[in-house]
Amino acid sequence: MGNTAVVIGAGIGGLAAAIGLHRIGWNVTVLERSSMPEDAGAGISLAANGLRALDALGVGGAVREASRGQYSGGTRTPRGGWLARMDGSALERAVGTPIQGVPRSVLHRLLREAVPGGSLVIGSEAATVEQIGPGTVQVGYGATVLEADLVVAADGIGSKVRGRLFPDHPGPVHSGSAVLRAITEHAVGLRTDFELTWGRGEEFGHIAFLDGRAEWHAVLGLPAGTRFADPLAELRRRFRTWHDPVPALLDATRPEDVLHHDVNELRTPLPSYAVGRVALLGDAAHAMTPHLGQGACQALEDAVTLAAALRAESTVGAALARYDAERRPRSQAVARAARQAGRMGQQLSHPLAVTLRNAAMRLTPSRAATRMILRHHAWVPPSLT
């Protein structure tokens, strides 16, 4: 019959884990509590490490065909001055690919299509996860109970499975910021593929897509739970004097398409990503702030590393120990770097500190900036064959 696994959560990390497990010969059931992806209206940028993980899972080519390479752009001030230019061609020479921009809904669809038919159970929440023996985990949902050799908890930043495994862990905390984002209703004339603009405690950025539309995001320093009666009108007020194409992107957006989320993170690192026959993956293991654009890429790395460890090791226990040893140091280091990037970028608000930061960025050679990026992008996946 072969080894069996239950993956809890059908986000990017959960679907990638299911694909990886299937590729090494496991039977997989994926439980997803919602009927559609939460972030279907947003976009995503995929760096070389995430794209290599997708290649290892056999879906990299399809994702590249649906994506737009981010070759031009960089970081600007609200008046439009350049702090740093992005050279996508140099990045491509260094790691084999530029950053790729794709609608999140497209990435979800391509991953779902690669999951074996009948494996995905929509609208079903895992109510119980219980280790009933040294080699068996029992998962209950609805009136159904499954027994598995492995459970992969990819149930997001608010992971209930993580809460059961680590009841004393403080869980996710608010970063001090919120993100509002949307995809434009129609194509927008853009002179660059990708931009970030840093104001005082505010950030606005865009990613261009293949069809000429763009995803934009605004990161604001806001208390947790803050919401606006008309989010788009609030953003137009805040960013009305910022350089083009910021106002144009907002004008090309329907009010009902704007998503608003608090930015939370697992600031206290977990002591392990595996307990018994349960592995934590993606945001359930290392939810990070979005300031490096590495959240999804780290989840994809998790998925490939887990499958490779299960293929290489003689026991599930040894494989999970290997997965934890390989993934926890790297992903937690990336999370720390993302937090620091936010402090030096969007969250910086004191005028003198902003002036000093901007001067330092203008003086930083482009090669040095590229080397900093490569610390996170230059990851090579283990083989699944």
Side-chain angles (χ1 to χ4, degrees), residues 164-302:
R164 297 184 191 119
L165 297 178
F166 300 101
D168 296 327
H169 189 273
V173 297
H174 184 53
S175 68
S177 300
V179 60
L180 291 87
R181 53 193 166 180
I183 295 177
T184 60
E185 183 182 10
H186 51 75
V188 181
L190 298 172
R191 289 181 291 180
T192 60
D193 300 315
F194 168 87
E195 284 185 13
L196 287 179
T197 300
W198 284 341
R200 294 178 182 175
E202 297 177 330
E203 171 185 302
F204 194 98
H206 76 251
I207 307 167
F209 295 146
L210 270 181
D211 61 5
R213 294 182 303 154
E215 189 250 19
W216 58 260
H217 73 266
V219 187
L220 312 175
L222 293 173
T226 302
R227 293 297 183 268
F228 305 114
D230 188 337
L232 191 57
E234 174 65 19
L235 293 177
R236 284 174 172 155
R237 182 188 68 81
R238 286 174 178 257
F239 296 107
R240 66 184 183 276
T241 63
W242 285 36
H243 65 80
D244 291 332
V246 174
L249 288 164
L250 295 175
D251 288 342
T253 302
R254 299 184 303 176
E256 61 268 28
D257 290 339
V258 179
L259 303 173
H260 185 166
H261 294 98
D262 292 336
V263 177
N264 299 319
E265 61 172 327
L266 282 186
R267 192 169 298 162
T268 302
L270 288 176
S272 177
Y273 288 177
V275 176
R277 289 295 183 96
V278 180
L280 293 165
L281 184 147
D283 282 352
H286 46 67
M288 60 190 69
T289 64
H291 298 100
L292 291 179
Q294 274 288 314
C297 291
Q298 291 302 304
L300 292 168
E301 287 188 21
D302 289 347

Side-chain angles (χ1 to χ4, degrees), residues 1 15 55 79 92 103 131 134 166 177 211 221 225 233 235-236 239-240 256 305 309 320 330 358 366-367 373:
M1 183 176 176
L15 292 170
D55 287 337
R79 292 186 177 182
E92 185 173 33
Q131 185 107 20
F166 300 101
S177 300
D211 61 5
L235 293 177
R236 284 174 172 155
F239 296 107
R240 66 184 183 276
E256 61 268 28
T305 302
L320 292 183
R330 172 167 164 80
N358 290 355
S366 60
R367 289 183 181 178
I373 293 173

